Amino acid sequence: MTLDDDFKKAGLTALLSTGMDPGVTNTFAGNGYEDLDRCFEIRIKDYAIFDSPVPLQVWSQETYYTDCAQPPLLYEDGEFKRVEIFGRREYYQFPEPFGLGACICHDHEEVTTLPRLLPKKFGDKGLRYVDFKMGTEEAAIDADLAFVGSGMTSKQPVTLKDGSKVRPIDVYVATLPPNPPADELAKLALSGEITDFGVVTVDCIGEKAGKPRASPTTSSRPTSST
C-alpha cells in the first residue's frame, strides 16, 4: 500500500476494495450507529446521474432490472417487510452540486444485514427502521418503472407462438449493444463526454446524551467511465 504512510500522517483511513454500496454504506452506518447512544433509524440513499453519447452499461443491466422488479425489503417497526416496487418516493436535499433529488425504495443488501448485525456488534440501541433508496432524474425513474411494468424484466419464462419458452429479461439483455472498446471508452471519459456523478448518504437518527441527534455521512464519486 504505497499511500499508507501518507494517509496515516493525514489522520485518514482509506477503505479499499469494499464497494460503495454495500461496503462504504455499511461502514458509514456502523460509525453512525456506534456514535449514537440510541439509534432508531438508518436511511441510505444512492443518487446518480449518468450520461454517455454511446450505449453503455456501467454494471449488470440484468441485476439492476431484476432488482427493480423485486418488491424492496424494508425494516420497519422492528420487522422485515416487502413494499411496493418504486414505492416510498421522496425528495431529498443532497449536498451540492446535486441538490434536491427524487429517490425510491430499492431492494438492496444493507436492509437485510444492518438490523441483524449492528445490534450484535454494538448492542441494542432501539433500531426500528432501515431503508435503501436509489435516485436519479425523475424522468429516468418513471421510464424504468414503465419498463418494469411492461413485464420485460421478468425472470419467469413465457411461451412463444412456436411453443418455445424464454425469460423476458434474457431477450432484453440479448438486444443490448456491446460496450465500446476500452481505448474508445478511455478517450470518451478523458474528454468529458461520458459523465457519472454520484453521491451516497447515510442518515443515522437517534439520541446522544439524551437529546435528539442525527449522524449524517456522505460520499461523492467523481466523473468516471467504469
Side-chain angles (χ1 to χ4, degrees):
M1 296 175 61
T2 58
L3 297 178
D4 186 48
D5 289 339
D6 293 337
F7 270 77
K8 286 180 179 178
K9 291 177 182 177
L12 299 174
T13 299
L15 299 179
L16 304 179
S17 303
T18 60
M20 182 59 76
D21 50 12
V24 172
T25 49
N26 302 68
T27 303
F28 284 170
N31 288 343
Y33 186 93
E34 183 181 16
D35 179 64
L36 295 171
D37 297 330
R38 302 276 287 166
C39 183
F40 308 128
E41 302 179 8
I42 299 176
R43 298 174 178 266
I44 303 170
K45 295 175 178 66
D46 183 332
Y47 187 84
I49 298 177
F50 178 79
D51 186 49
S52 171
V54 295
L56 179 64
Q57 288 76 53
V58 295
W59 60 298
S60 171
Q61 291 283 46
E62 178 176 354
T63 299
Y64 171 71
Y65 279 114
T66 52
D67 283 352
C68 284
Q70 170 79 4
L73 185 68
L74 191 72
Y75 186 70
E76 189 172 46
D77 297 327
E79 298 180 353
F80 291 103
K81 63 180 68 174
R82 295 283 179 182
V83 296
E84 180 185 3
I85 62 170
F86 289 79
R88 306 290 180 98
R89 187 175 301 206
E90 68 172 288
Y91 299 88
Y92 185 88
Q93 189 67 44
F94 292 98
E96 293 300 331
F98 302 96
L100 191 67
C103 300
I104 45 89
C105 276
H106 185 79
D107 202 44
H108 225 251
E109 292 85 352
E110 290 93 331
V111 179
T112 303
T113 58
L114 294 178
R116 295 184 294 107
L117 300 181
L118 289 181
K120 288 183 179 180
K121 176 67 175 179
F122 300 110
D124 183 3
K125 298 188 178 185
L127 187 61
R128 305 292 292 173
Y129 182 91
V130 179
D131 69 10
F132 180 94
K133 292 188 176 183
M134 291 194 72
T136 186
E137 296 170 310
E138 197 154 18
I141 293 177
D142 292 338
D144 283 345
L145 175 58
F147 184 62
V148 171
S150 74
M152 280 304 298
T153 63
S154 174
K155 295 188 292 184
Q156 299 302 315
V158 296
T159 304
L160 304 183
K161 291 181 179 180
D162 64 0
S164 59
K165 293 182 180 294
V166 297
R167 299 193 318 167
I169 187 64
D170 292 335
V171 176
Y172 169 65
V173 172
T175 65
L176 294 174
N179 283 348
D183 57 344
E184 183 179 335
L185 284 178
K187 291 179 181 178
L188 291 169
L190 291 172
S191 68
E193 293 185 69
I194 291 178
T195 58
D196 181 14
F197 297 100
V199 59
V200 172
T201 66
V202 180
D203 292 310
C204 297
I205 302 169
E207 294 178 354
K208 183 83 169 181
K211 296 181 180 180
R213 175 82 174 269
S215 181
T217 49
T218 302
S219 176
S220 299
R221 67 172 179 269
T223 305
S224 68
S225 63
T226 55

